Amino acid sequence: MTQIVTFLRSLLFNIIFYIGSVPLVIGAALSVPFGQSAVIASSRVWAQFHHLCVRWLLGIRTVVEGEFPTGAVIIAMKHEAMLETIEVLRLIERPAVVFKAELLNIPVWGRAALSHGVIPVARETGSAALRRMLKAAREAVTLDRPILIFPEGTRVAPGEQPPLRAGIAGLYKTLGLPVVPVAVNSGRLWPRRKFLKHSGIVTMRIGEPIPPGLGREEIETRIHTAINVLNRHSGEGGDSSGREPIPSNT
């Protein structure tokens, strides 16, 4: 019976969220001529719609331990599911998100994302791709926006702790900003490349800010440790600290 309910919830979520997203994404694209603030506001509406679908259709509740920073700072977040990529648009104030450049090719959505002020990263490696990313990041800093990056570069399964990509070290050294690490354990409820999504609680644990000026090895070690802290506490991504999580304002 539980599997049937999970299947029906997942099916209903896919139908309602993706169909409901069409007019909201079109609305965001149509807001482009009115400026970046209008696009950001439209994106928050879409993110809130996603949040309500996740909460009431899938039965997934997000709790945030700590407080997301505002202003020019680098936020390095663990990435296990699509959930956090949309949740951040409502939880973080005006985030400039680092993501794959090819996503900008998505019709309508890509136009809105570019106007939102994302920081695209091309698949090819090398100095040219890094320079383009850093240029977009500097523009975000001039607007006093937090820069959000998933430093492992892609979604990973619960318990996996791949090495960090070079981009996070480049941003840290060039921008001279503190890094706020965020651990996430969404993958145990929202497995990658799986249709079924399970009810439960997803925790986002915000770590202590890491100051600028550290060497590459030290900053990467500290970020890597902090974003994987939920996996470290439990092989399935749970929290065995015994602390009661602090609900987000949802």
Side-chain angles (χ1 to χ4, degrees):
M1 178 63 73
T2 301
Q3 283 292 95
I4 295 175
V5 172
T6 299
F7 173 81
L8 291 175
R9 278 184 153 185
S10 301
L11 178 62
L12 197 59
F13 170 81
N14 276 16
I15 293 172
I16 293 178
F17 172 66
Y18 287 106
I19 292 178
S21 290
V22 172
L24 294 176
V25 171
I26 291 174
L30 292 175
S31 69
V32 170
F34 299 98
Q36 190 175 75
S37 296
V39 178
I40 292 174
S42 298
S43 299
R44 289 179 70 89
V45 172
W46 178 57
Q48 185 63 33
F49 170 66
H50 169 265
H51 173 73
L52 292 174
C53 289
V54 168
R55 178 68 183 91
W56 300 109
L57 298 178
L58 295 177
I60 296 176
R61 186 163 64 93
T62 301
V63 299
V64 177
E65 295 182 351
E67 186 173 345
F68 279 105
T70 58
V73 66
I74 300 171
I75 301 174
M77 180 178 283
K78 184 75 175 180
H79 187 16
E80 292 189 351
M82 187 186 79
L83 180 143
E84 56 266 14
T85 63
I86 303 179
E87 278 287 282
V88 294
L89 297 177
R90 71 178 191 87
L91 292 173
I92 302 175
E93 188 70 26
R94 303 185 305 128
V97 184
V98 179
F99 71 22
K100 297 174 183 177
E102 59 264 32
L103 294 176
L104 295 177
N105 296 325
I106 299 174
V108 184
W109 186 90
R111 180 170 185 252
L114 190 61
S115 297
H116 188 282
V118 298
I119 301 174
V121 180
R123 272 190 180 275
E124 74 271 13
T125 57
S127 58
L130 182 59
R131 283 196 300 270
R132 287 193 294 270
M133 180 184 73
L134 293 177
K135 181 178 182 293
R138 290 190 189 98
E139 292 174 357
V141 171
T142 61
L143 297 173
D144 200 32
R145 298 179 66 178
I147 296 172
L148 173 69
I149 184 170
F150 300 104
E152 292 169 331
T154 188
R155 289 176 297 171
V156 299
E160 289 185 1
Q161 301 182 17
L164 306 187
R165 299 290 180 90
I168 181 65
L171 283 175
Y172 175 78
K173 180 180 179 180
T174 302
L175 300 179
L177 295 174
V179 177
V180 175
V182 182
V184 178
N185 63 355
S186 55
R188 62 194 177 87
L189 301 181
W190 193 308
R192 59 178 180 171
R193 303 187 184 94
K194 300 292 184 182
F195 176 77
L196 295 182
K197 301 165 184 64
H198 308 277
S199 62
I201 295 176
V202 168
T203 300
M204 295 184 180
R205 180 173 297 170
I206 302 170
E208 292 295 323
I210 303 172
L214 303 178
R216 177 169 179 173
E217 183 176 351
E218 181 176 359
I219 185 61
E220 288 188 344
T221 298
R222 291 181 64 170
I223 292 173
H224 194 262
T225 299
I227 67 172
N228 285 295
V229 68
L230 292 177
N231 283 324
R232 188 181 65 193
H233 284 160
S234 169
E236 297 184 354
D239 178 9
S240 61
S241 65
R243 292 182 295 169
E244 189 70 22
I246 303 170
S248 63
N249 54 346
T250 59

